[in-house]
């Protein structure tokens, strides 16, 4: 069981997802310990609040870096992790980029950020790294004072998420931290709302506030519930980078592509003006606790399907248990439903 050697490895042609590593040489040692040494940064950035030009209001944040290559088999881009950093009040950080390519930077405000809500933002840049390890060209980012600017986008979908005013201890209070907002964008070809890796979701902050920056289009936003409440879904029409409103929908007659109980956006939708989105979680009409034996199962998935007369269709609801194994759903259409309870990823003693 003893380790006899440790080699250092690098990837070419886009990283671990697109090529085999090339390994050579041994990792340096100091006595009986292996030495892991930080790379010197060759790319300095500042994370900035929304704005224009070279002025930068720094924002405490963290960002993830991905290196992307074109995937000929699946089409589109395949991206692999290439680093990341957290930045403090001055917004500054340095990272080491090892090869040329298309990089994606995903920005999120840090937990201790207290300013106006910011939307999770993805920025793409084509960066050239020389054989000597120096960044020699950057296409897609502006710079100021020796650093490239990673700037948050101004949100166009923002508001507050609250618990319903139902007389409980939580009535009307903001849903802090725990709620994730999942955006699905309307796919005209497939006649349904689809997930896209180009569209970023978000979370509420400590005051229940949320902010998203969405491209023009029609969206279905699902606000993830907790504390025994049900998810809330709203439909949004985004007209521009600064204008969004509640979207109008109509029944979707394409039952095969969109699902038995789906809707589609009304054609040629528009917004009279920008709206603030004040959302409340739903009061469930189906709820319970998922148990494995006598133990509550946290974060288990519940598949909800509806009988359409010929087969079981996915209802469009994504239901998961919370940290105490509680699940809840709001079923708004009469019908026959089937619930399939799936065990958590670490549960091997029980089946669906």
């Amino acid at each position: 069981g003893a380790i006899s050697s440790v080699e250092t490895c690098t990837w070419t042609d886009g990283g671990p997802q697109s090529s085999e590593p090339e390994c050579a040489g041994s990792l340096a040692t100091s006595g009986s310990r292996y030495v892991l040494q930080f790379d010197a940064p060759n790319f300095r950035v500042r994370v900035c609040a929304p704005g224009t030009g070279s002025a930068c209001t720094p924002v405490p944040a963290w960002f993830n870096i991905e290196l992307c290559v074109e995937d000929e088999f699946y089409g589109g881009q395949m991206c692999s992790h290439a680093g990341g950093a957290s930045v403090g009040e001055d917004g500054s950080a340095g990272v080491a980029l090892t090869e040329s390519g298309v990089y994606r930077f995903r920005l999120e405000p840090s937990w201790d950020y207290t300013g106006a809500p910011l939307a999770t933002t993805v920025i793409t840049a084509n960066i050239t790294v020389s054989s000597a390890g120096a960044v020699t060209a950057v296409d897609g980012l502006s710079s100021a004072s020796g650093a490239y600017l990673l700037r948050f986008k101004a949100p166009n979908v923002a508001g507050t998420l609250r618990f319903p005013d139902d007389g409980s201890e939580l009535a009307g209070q903001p849903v802090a931290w725990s709620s994730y907002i999942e955006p699905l964008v309307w796919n005209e070809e497939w006649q349904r709302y689809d997930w896209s890796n180009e569209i970023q979701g978000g979370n509420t902050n400590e005051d229940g506030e949320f902010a998203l920056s969405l491209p023009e289009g029609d969206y279905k936003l699902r606000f993830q519930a907790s504390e025994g409440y049900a998810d809330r879904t709203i439909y949004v029409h985004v007209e521009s980078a600064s204008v969004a409103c509640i979207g109008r929908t109509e029944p979707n007659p394409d039952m095969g592509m969109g699902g038995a109980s789906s809707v589609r956006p009304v054609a040629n939708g528009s917004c009279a003006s920008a709206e603030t989105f004040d959302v409340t979680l739903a009061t469930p009409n189906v709820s319970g606790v998922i148990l494995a034996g006598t133990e509550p199962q946290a974060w288990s998935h519940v598949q909800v399907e509806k009988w359409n007369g010929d087969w079981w269709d996915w209802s469009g609801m994504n239901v998961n248990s919370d940290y105490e194994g509680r699940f809840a759903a709001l079923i708004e259409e009469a019908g026959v439903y089937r619930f399939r309870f799936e065990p958590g990823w670490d549960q091997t003693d029980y089946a669906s």
Side-chain angles (χ1 to χ4, degrees):
I3 295 176
S4 58
S5 66
V6 178
E7 293 183 317
T8 57
C9 304
T10 59
W11 281 266
T12 58
D13 300 328
Q17 295 185 8
S18 57
S19 66
E20 292 295 323
E22 297 179 358
C23 302
S26 297
L27 193 64
T29 59
S30 176
S32 60
R33 297 176 181 272
Y34 288 98
V35 177
L36 300 177
Q37 187 171 351
F38 284 106
D39 289 329
N42 60 357
F43 188 70
R44 297 193 175 276
V45 301
R46 292 193 77 197
V47 179
C48 312
T52 58
S54 60
C56 177
T57 301
V59 175
W62 70 273
F63 60 88
N64 179 59
I65 307 172
E66 293 179 316
L67 178 61
C68 302
V69 296
E70 291 298 323
D71 189 292
E72 296 180 359
F73 182 77
Y74 291 103
Q77 289 186 328
M78 178 73 75
C79 301
S80 57
H81 180 70
S86 59
V87 298
E89 294 294 335
D90 66 351
S92 298
V95 297
L97 305 181
T98 59
E99 57 185 292
S100 301
V102 176
Y103 285 86
R104 292 202 317 179
F105 300 85
R106 186 176 188 271
L107 313 181
E108 291 192 21
S110 64
W111 291 106
D112 57 353
Y113 170 72
T114 57
L118 294 172
T120 298
T121 299
V122 172
I123 301 169
T124 301
N126 196 334
I127 300 175
T128 302
V129 181
S130 71
S131 58
V135 172
T136 57
V138 177
D139 182 16
L141 295 176
S142 60
S143 62
S145 303
Y148 289 95
L149 305 182
L150 300 177
R151 192 181 298 279
F152 278 97
K153 294 179 181 178
N156 51 11
V157 176
T160 303
L161 179 66
R162 298 184 182 277
F163 290 104
D165 191 8
D166 58 0
S168 69
E169 293 182 0
L170 296 173
Q173 295 186 29
V175 183
W177 299 127
S178 61
S179 184
Y180 175 70
I181 301 103
E182 176 190 50
L184 301 176
V185 62
W186 177 250
N187 185 318
E188 183 65 28
E189 178 182 359
W190 290 97
Q191 286 290 294
R192 65 189 184 197
Y193 291 91
D194 263 344
W195 178 84
S196 169
N197 63 359
E198 302 298 323
I199 308 299
Q200 302 300 312
N203 294 84
T204 55
N205 64 15
E206 64 178 343
D207 297 317
E209 298 170 321
F210 61 89
L212 305 176
S213 178
L214 301 178
E216 294 179 14
D218 291 284
Y219 295 88
K220 178 180 180 180
L221 303 185
R222 183 176 71 92
F223 293 79
Q224 189 178 49
S226 62
E227 305 297 335
Y229 289 91
D231 295 351
R232 172 69 74 186
T233 296
I234 66 171
Y235 294 89
V236 172
H237 176 73
V238 176
E239 194 156 298
S240 68
S242 59
V243 176
C245 60
I246 291 293
R248 294 187 299 125
T249 61
E250 62 185 9
N252 185 6
D254 193 336
M255 308 300 275
M257 293 295 188
S261 59
S262 68
V263 296
R264 66 184 182 188
V266 172
N268 303 315
S270 62
C271 297
S273 60
E275 293 183 15
T276 298
F277 298 83
D278 292 319
V279 183
T280 59
L281 292 179
T283 299
N285 52 14
V286 176
S287 61
V289 178
I290 301 176
L291 301 174
T294 59
E295 293 296 321
Q297 296 300 291
W299 322 126
S300 293
H301 181 65
V302 184
Q303 180 81 7
V304 184
E305 300 169 333
K306 183 182 180 183
W307 181 250
N308 68 7
D310 296 305
W311 61 79
W312 292 102
D313 251 339
W314 179 51
S315 67
M317 288 187 286
N318 285 305
V319 180
N320 295 285
S321 62
D322 64 13
Y323 60 96
E324 293 184 344
R326 298 172 297 188
F327 74 93
L330 174 61
I331 295 180
E332 299 181 89
E333 295 183 3
V336 178
Y337 290 84
R338 181 170 70 178
F339 293 78
R340 187 175 71 219
F341 298 89
E342 300 176 356
W345 64 271
D346 60 345
Q347 177 58 261
T348 58
D349 296 330
Y350 292 86
S352 298

